[in-house]
């Protein structure tokens, strides 16, 4: 969006939920021309060119160095695909312009290393970042406690994406079978490292938990709200390009498939409603806990799983800690791979 605009994004219609699928390369087949869900393109800072350097470092359309623009970024080995990229995108991913000048300043992630991690080297070019470090999402204000997207996906690839509460009712975690990345400078090796390989030696996990070989594929469609796509459309518009504060969550729930928020609140919420129930996102911890409690109330207590009957449980934190196998797996993952993971203060989870 442009800074001069009032709305964070165009209003989202509920009929969008009927066609939320993705076109992707590989084994994914196209359904229609309107599907283009993928992550935003990497952040690209202003590039400084070093003239007079030969372009021989790029051979047959394959870049030999790249700094991948997701939160687990850093120097990337060969095999970066450039066949579908424009000359500008190719310059960003390969470090070379079409004329042969080398791009000294390439992709940077705004995600900051969490306290306790080694930290980035901050050396010029592709050596600026260290890979494999835990990071928090970037922000323009106070530092957030929200871990980066790649860190969360790596965690889900071992613990499952169901969370602790649902583990009371299921025998094994629920894993993602595939992850689709939108058209952008891309490295399969970087994705494999970020989501799978850095945790592949985690062991001593409870039965049913383990590192998954999730399929990682790239779509040939550019996300129409990505930075480079919006910049191309708004080339002649006044105003500075800033990140959008909106988020869209889709679920296969017929009565309410979409949860659309702007700056953390449901789209359309007024200032008077900010502290009311109407101003809560349906995927907030409080609302998910309410749904869990509603499920419990529909089941006779004598049919509850043993994990919920061992002791009296009252708060959200109590119910999470009672999922013993999940907590055991999470403890093993923290000890062996994610020791610096930022955890919210216990007071945040003491609601009933």
């Amino acid at each position: 969006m442009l800074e001069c605009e009032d709305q964070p994004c165009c209003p989202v219609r509920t009929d969008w939920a009927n066609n939320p699928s993705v076109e992707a390369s590989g084994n994914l087949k196209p359904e229609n021309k309107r599907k283009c869900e993928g992550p935003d393109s990497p952040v690209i800072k202003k590039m400084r060119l070093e003239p007079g350097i030969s372009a021989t470092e790029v051979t047959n359309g394959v870049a030999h160095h790249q700094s991948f623009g997701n939160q687990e970024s850093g120097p990337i080995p060969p095999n970066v695909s450039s066949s579908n990229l424009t000359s500008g995108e190719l310059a960003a991913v390969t470090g070379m312009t079409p004329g042969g000048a080398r791009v000294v300043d390439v992709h940077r992630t705004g995600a900051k290393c969490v306290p306790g991690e080694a930290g980035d080297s901050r050396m010029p070019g592709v050596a600026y970042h260290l890979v494999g470090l835990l990071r928090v999402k970037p922000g323009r204000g106070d530092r957030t406690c929200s871990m980066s997207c790649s860190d969360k996906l790596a965690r889900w690839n071992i613990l499952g994406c169901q969370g602790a509460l649902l583990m009371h009712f299921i025998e094994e975690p629920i894993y993602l079978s595939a992850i689709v990345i939108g058209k952008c400078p891309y490295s399969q090796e970087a994705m494999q490292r970020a989501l799978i390989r850095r945790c592949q030696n985690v062991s001593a996990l409870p039965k049913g938990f383990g590192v998954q070989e999730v399929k990682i594929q790239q779509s040939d469609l550019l996300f129409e709200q990505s930075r480079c796509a919006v910049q191309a459309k708004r080339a002649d518009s006044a105003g500075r390009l800033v990140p959008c504060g909106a988020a869209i969550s889709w679920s296969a729930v017929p009565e309410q498939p979409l949860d659309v928020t702007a700056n953390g609140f449901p789209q359309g919420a007024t200032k008077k409603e900010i502290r009311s129930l109407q101003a809560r996102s349906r995927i907030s911890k409080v609302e998910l806990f309410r749904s869990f409690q509603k499920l419990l109330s529909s089941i006779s207590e004598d049919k509850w799983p043993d994990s919920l009957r061992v002791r009296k449980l009252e708060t959200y934190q109590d119910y999470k800690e009672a999922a013993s196998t999940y907590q055991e797996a999470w403890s093993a993952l923290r000890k062996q791979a994610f020791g610096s993971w930022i955890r919210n203060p216990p007071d945040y989870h003491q609601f009933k």
Side-chain angles (χ1 to χ4, degrees):
M1 63 177 271
L2 295 176
E3 197 171 39
C4 57
E5 293 180 350
D6 295 328
Q7 278 295 105
C9 66
C10 298
V12 177
R13 302 186 304 274
T14 55
D15 59 357
W16 175 88
N18 296 324
N19 295 290
S21 55
V22 156
E23 282 187 29
S25 60
N27 297 326
L28 300 182
K29 304 298 182 181
E31 297 285 339
N32 63 53
K33 296 182 180 179
R34 296 181 61 231
K35 306 166 186 174
C36 55
E37 281 297 0
D40 207 345
S41 81
V43 175
I44 304 174
K45 288 194 173 183
K46 186 175 181 180
M47 297 179 290
R48 177 167 57 89
L49 300 183
E50 186 175 303
I53 295 182
S54 171
T56 55
E57 294 179 42
V58 182
T59 308
N60 296 329
V62 176
H64 290 269
H65 293 284
Q66 177 203 20
S67 180
F68 190 64
N70 70 354
Q71 277 79 8
E72 206 270 325
S73 61
I76 305 303
N79 303 326
V80 179
S81 172
S82 63
S83 58
N84 295 326
L85 301 180
T86 65
S87 59
E89 291 169 335
L90 182 61
V93 69
T94 64
M96 308 292 293
T97 67
R102 182 183 175 192
V103 178
V104 178
D105 190 10
V106 289
H107 292 309
R108 295 285 181 266
T109 174
K112 303 296 189 296
C113 297
V114 302
E117 290 288 334
D120 292 316
S121 65
R122 297 181 180 272
M123 296 175 65
V126 295
Y128 187 91
H129 291 298
L130 294 181
V131 298
L133 304 182
L134 292 174
R135 301 176 185 272
V136 292
K137 291 183 178 179
R140 289 173 291 169
D142 295 334
R143 175 177 285 221
T144 176
C145 291
S146 181
M147 301 299 293
S148 72
C149 297
S150 57
D151 291 338
K152 289 181 178 180
L153 287 169
R155 172 182 167 172
W156 293 348
N157 201 45
I158 294 179
L159 302 184
C161 55
Q162 76 292 322
L165 295 183
L166 278 183
M167 284 303 298
H168 289 294
F169 290 98
I170 58 179
E171 295 181 351
E172 295 183 349
I174 300 172
Y175 292 111
L176 298 175
S177 59
I179 296 173
V180 181
I181 310 299
K183 181 182 177 182
C184 64
Y186 176 81
S187 168
Q188 184 74 12
E189 185 171 351
M191 293 300 301
Q192 290 281 343
R193 182 190 65 241
L195 307 187
I196 302 173
R197 290 209 310 270
R198 60 173 167 160
C199 297
Q200 64 184 0
N201 294 324
V202 174
S203 59
L205 293 166
K207 182 180 178 181
F209 291 87
V211 182
Q212 306 299 303
E213 288 294 329
V214 60
K215 293 181 180 179
I216 304 175
Q217 299 173 305
Q218 185 184 27
S219 170
D220 60 1
L221 294 177
L222 181 67
F223 180 44
E224 62 181 13
Q225 299 300 330
S226 67
R227 175 180 289 268
C228 61
V230 173
Q231 282 177 330
K233 294 177 182 177
R234 304 286 188 134
D236 299 326
S237 301
R240 185 169 63 91
L241 195 68
V242 296
C244 180
I248 304 172
S249 302
W250 177 86
S251 60
V253 181
E255 61 272 17
Q256 190 61 52
L258 287 177
D259 182 71
V260 185
T261 58
N263 299 317
F265 299 101
Q267 189 176 42
T270 63
K271 290 183 178 180
K272 292 182 179 179
E273 297 173 333
I274 290 300
R275 297 185 180 276
S276 67
L277 298 179
Q278 289 76 18
R280 288 179 182 169
S281 166
R282 288 179 175 83
I283 59 172
S284 66
K285 292 181 179 180
V286 173
E287 288 302 305
L288 291 176
F289 187 45
R290 294 287 179 268
S291 297
F292 178 79
Q293 290 174 316
K294 185 177 179 180
L295 172 63
L296 285 182
S297 65
S298 67
I299 304 172
S300 175
E301 284 194 31
D302 60 341
K303 295 182 179 180
W304 285 6
D306 293 339
S307 57
L308 294 176
R309 291 189 288 170
V310 173
R311 61 186 179 89
K312 184 176 177 59
L313 306 175
E314 294 183 352
T315 66
Y316 174 73
Q317 183 68 22
D318 291 341
Y319 281 93
K320 284 171 62 71
E321 291 179 348
S324 56
T325 56
Y326 181 90
Q327 296 301 339
E328 182 183 346
W330 180 212
S331 178
L333 178 57
R334 287 200 309 273
K335 289 178 181 178
Q336 299 177 54
F338 290 163
S340 301
W341 192 281
I342 293 180
R343 306 180 71 185
N344 287 323
D347 291 350
Y348 285 19
H349 295 162
Q350 295 303 317
F351 54 86
K352 300 180 180 181

